[in-house]
Amino acid sequence: MLLLALALALQTTPPGEDAVDPYLQSNANAGATPFTGTAMLAAFHGRAGIDRIADDLVTRIVADPRIADIFKGQDEVRLRRLLKEQFCYILNGGCAYSGRTMREGHRNLGLQTADVGALIEDLQAAMRTERVAFHAQNRFLAKLAPMKRAVVER
Ligand code: HEM
């Protein structure tokens, strides 16, 4: 208990990011179990490819007229960092995920099913631009699909 309190108290805010309320960090917060082996990491062109896809995704979603308003005033630096970590963790790229759970991270955003559809389309465009093989795109999307339940509010 003391160790937990200490760990929470010691959480620091990375440069350029807004502070968030302390939470327990765990890979389990990523919302999916990682792939095994290296095939998916290779299909996404390694850590560099994952970073390019996450960066491209954020660039697309903040400019996507269907969902751009949702990102106004949000911490884009933190979002970029955590999407890279989450994707890298799930693709078995050797990263740890240090963000909140999908439910906590999207609480009070009022997200609807259509918002998830728009984000997934933007992710597909980012993966296409990186020339990720179609079957690998779909295997990754299948990992993300169950997260819809946690991010959509009704
Ligand atoms: C499966 C789909 C999704 C995944 C994998 C995902 C992933 C993430 C991650 C990793 C974070 C960071 C959590 C943290 O701050 O600790 C986050 C935050 C956020 N996400 Fe998503 N997300 C998804 C769907 C969506 C959708 C559909 C929208 C809106 C259209 C959205 C908008 C946001 C916003 C605005 C934040 C920042 C919240 C804040 O700064 O407090 N997300 N998301």
Side-chain angles (χ1 to χ4, degrees):
M1 205 55 211
L2 192 65
L3 272 179
L4 177 63
L6 195 66
L8 291 175
L10 285 177
Q11 275 178 28
T12 52
T13 306
E17 297 186 15
D18 302 333
V20 298
D21 290 339
Y23 58 92
L24 198 56
Q25 293 187 357
S26 162
N27 282 332
N29 293 353
T33 54
F35 290 101
T36 53
T38 56
M40 286 298 281
L41 182 63
F44 279 68
H45 308 147
R47 297 265 286 263
I50 293 170
D51 286 355
R52 281 191 294 270
I53 290 167
D55 276 327
D56 188 17
L57 171 62
V58 173
T59 302
R60 287 174 192 273
I61 56 184
V62 299
D64 184 334
R66 297 172 293 181
I67 50 176
D69 281 353
I70 299 169
F71 295 95
K72 297 244 165 77
Q74 301 290 348
D75 187 346
E76 193 183 311
V77 177
R78 177 180 168 88
L79 182 61
R80 273 181 201 270
R81 175 175 65 83
L82 290 173
L83 282 172
K84 288 173 188 175
E85 285 183 9
Q86 185 189 35
F87 290 3
C88 173
Y89 170 70
I90 294 170
L91 292 162
N92 201 23
C95 304
Y97 174 70
S98 66
R100 293 170 285 194
T101 64
M102 288 302 94
R103 194 171 297 283
E104 276 300 323
H106 300 87
R107 197 179 287 281
N108 299 326
L109 291 176
L111 298 185
Q112 301 297 306
T113 298
D115 302 324
V116 179
L119 179 136
I120 294 298
E121 281 176 24
D122 291 338
L123 174 58
Q124 287 175 308
M127 292 190 293
R128 248 190 337 264
T129 299
E130 180 64 28
R131 299 188 186 284
V132 175
F134 194 58
H135 73 274
Q137 293 185 26
N138 287 337
R139 283 186 75 196
F140 185 53
L141 291 176
K143 287 276 192 189
L144 303 189
M147 297 178 194
K148 189 175 137 189
R149 279 197 304 276
V151 306
V152 167
E153 282 172 27
R154 30 177 103 237

